[in-house]
């Protein structure tokens, strides 16, 4: 009998060890659900300068403000929505490839692509008010009430202090664990960052705290099916949001049209 009791102890200990290990083992994380993909409905179409290589676009006090790119052709503009007429314009230096833009109250902040510097303009008359520096490339800009967000073509978005324009931190943009790079023009919409993904017809809807993609907007066929003609048009780029009127505007580089769109959520399973 003593031998029998002795022979059982290793098996009992092994079983207890296995049970404890199983109880303490981390529960596998549930796979993250795919971000929903929204389609669109065109609410209105407005004229847009087909010579504008659109980089930044915002809505402010009843007008569109737009920055354009290409060396020797980069400008900042004030545009009338209904007619597409450029009401005010200033050129950036010839050696600057203009990029994204946002406002800072009565000022406009405009990036350059590879010069490592941005420009501060007075919004009233587009007069030069200063510069700010940053490492690497500049692509897109937008802002919330207390932060300026900047893209650089990677999967990272930089968070800048609005007063000093110095970098505070960065977020990594991911969708189901995969980095989403080529983030271009940015816009702040209802607490999310909307970002054009360069060379695609998609806009990412990004959580500004985590960098997680909350959803996608698929604008496939927008210019081809709803525009006035797209010969010579380049990629989708340019998002502006009128918070007071709850209107969302999109356009592209060298597009002859600017569109007001409404998002259409994906159909629920089982519904047609």
């Amino acid at each position: 009998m003593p031998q029998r009791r002795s022979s059982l102890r290793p098996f009992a200990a092994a079983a207890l060890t296995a049970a404890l290990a199983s109880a303490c083992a981390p529960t596998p994380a549930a796979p993250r659900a795919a971000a929903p993909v929204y389609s669109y409905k065109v609410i209105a179409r407005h004229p847009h300068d087909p010579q504008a290589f659109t980089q930044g676009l915002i809505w402010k006090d009843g007008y569109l403000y737009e920055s354009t790119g290409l060396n020797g052709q980069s400008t900042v503009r004030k545009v009338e929505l209904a007619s597409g007429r450029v009401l005010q314009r200033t050129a950036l230096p010839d050696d600057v490839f203009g990029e994204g833009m946002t406002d800072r109250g009565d000022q406009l902040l405009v990036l350059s692509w590879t010069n490592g510097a941005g420009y501060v303009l007075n919004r009233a008359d587009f007069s030069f008010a200063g510069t700010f520096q940053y490492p690497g490339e500049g692509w897109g800009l937008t802002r919330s009430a207390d932060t300026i967000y900047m893209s650089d073509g990677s999967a990272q978005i930089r968070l800048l202090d609005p007063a000093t324009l110095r970098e505070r931190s960065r977020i990594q943009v991911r969708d189901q664990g995969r980095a989403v790079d080529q983030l271009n023009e940015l816009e702040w919409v209802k607490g999310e960052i909307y970002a054009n993904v360069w060379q695609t017809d998609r806009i990412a809807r990004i959580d500004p705290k985590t960098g997680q993609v909350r959803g996608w907007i698929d604008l496939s066929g927008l210019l081809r099916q709803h525009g006035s003609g797209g010969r010579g048009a380049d990629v989708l780029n340019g998002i502006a949001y009128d918070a007071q009127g709850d209107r969302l505007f999109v356009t592209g580089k060298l597009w002859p049209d600017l569109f007001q769109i409404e998002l259409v959520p994906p159909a629920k399973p089982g519904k047609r």
Side-chain angles (χ1 to χ4, degrees):
M1 291 297 293
Q3 282 186 335
R4 186 178 178 87
R5 286 196 298 271
S6 176
S7 64
L8 284 175
R9 283 174 184 165
F11 294 103
L16 179 60
T17 300
L20 287 172
S22 176
C24 296
T27 303
R32 189 183 293 274
V37 179
Y38 293 75
S39 57
Y40 64 92
K41 175 182 178 182
V42 173
I43 303 301
R45 186 183 77 193
H46 302 284
H48 179 252
D49 181 0
Q51 302 302 312
F53 197 76
T54 305
Q55 302 287 53
L57 190 69
I58 65 172
W59 177 267
K60 186 73 174 177
D61 296 339
Y63 296 97
L64 290 164
Y65 290 84
E66 182 175 20
S67 58
T68 70
L70 301 176
N71 290 98
Q73 301 179 44
S74 297
T75 63
V76 176
R77 306 162 171 218
K78 179 180 180 180
V79 180
E80 185 177 64
L81 173 64
S83 67
R85 187 163 60 97
V86 177
L87 304 176
Q88 193 173 335
R89 176 197 320 242
T90 192
L92 297 179
D94 285 348
D95 64 340
V96 168
F97 194 117
E99 285 284 346
M101 176 184 65
T102 192
D103 73 292
R104 185 175 64 172
D106 292 332
Q107 293 180 325
L108 298 173
L109 308 175
V110 188
L111 297 177
S112 65
W113 180 23
T114 57
N115 293 65
Y119 294 88
V120 183
L121 305 178
N122 293 312
R123 186 161 56 91
D125 59 5
F126 288 176
S127 59
F128 176 80
T131 62
F132 58 101
Q133 311 296 314
Y134 48 85
E137 296 184 356
W139 285 44
L141 278 179
T142 192
R143 69 169 180 86
S144 65
D146 60 4
T147 303
I148 291 173
Y149 299 87
M150 172 182 165
S151 64
D152 58 14
S154 71
Q156 294 187 339
I157 292 179
R158 310 179 192 189
L159 280 63
L160 310 182
D161 182 280
T164 65
L165 301 179
R166 292 176 182 170
E167 184 176 331
R168 289 173 175 166
S169 60
R170 299 188 182 195
I171 56 173
Q172 181 86 1
V173 178
R174 294 184 177 275
D175 180 27
Q176 293 186 286
R178 296 188 300 268
V180 179
D181 62 3
Q182 305 293 293
L183 299 173
N184 201 1
E185 220 277 283
L186 307 177
E187 181 72 3
W188 184 264
V189 182
K190 298 179 181 178
E192 295 179 335
I193 299 171
Y194 281 25
N196 282 118
V197 180
W198 187 48
Q199 294 185 319
T200 78
D201 291 323
R202 285 195 162 195
I203 292 172
R205 297 174 56 178
I206 301 164
D207 184 323
K209 293 183 178 179
T210 66
Q212 181 64 35
V213 174
R214 291 176 173 173
W216 292 95
I217 306 168
D218 186 351
L219 295 180
S220 297
L222 177 59
L223 182 61
R224 183 178 65 255
Q225 297 174 14
H226 303 278
S228 58
R231 176 172 291 184
D234 206 288
V235 296
L236 180 79
N237 201 52
I239 313 166
Y241 180 61
D242 169 17
Q244 184 174 1
D246 191 20
R247 295 184 296 173
L248 182 64
F249 303 103
V250 294
T251 190
K253 302 174 187 288
L254 309 179
W255 281 26
D257 305 293
L258 178 143
F259 299 92
Q260 180 188 341
I261 63 169
E262 183 179 283
L263 303 190
V264 178
K268 294 182 178 179
K271 290 190 176 182
R272 290 179 178 269

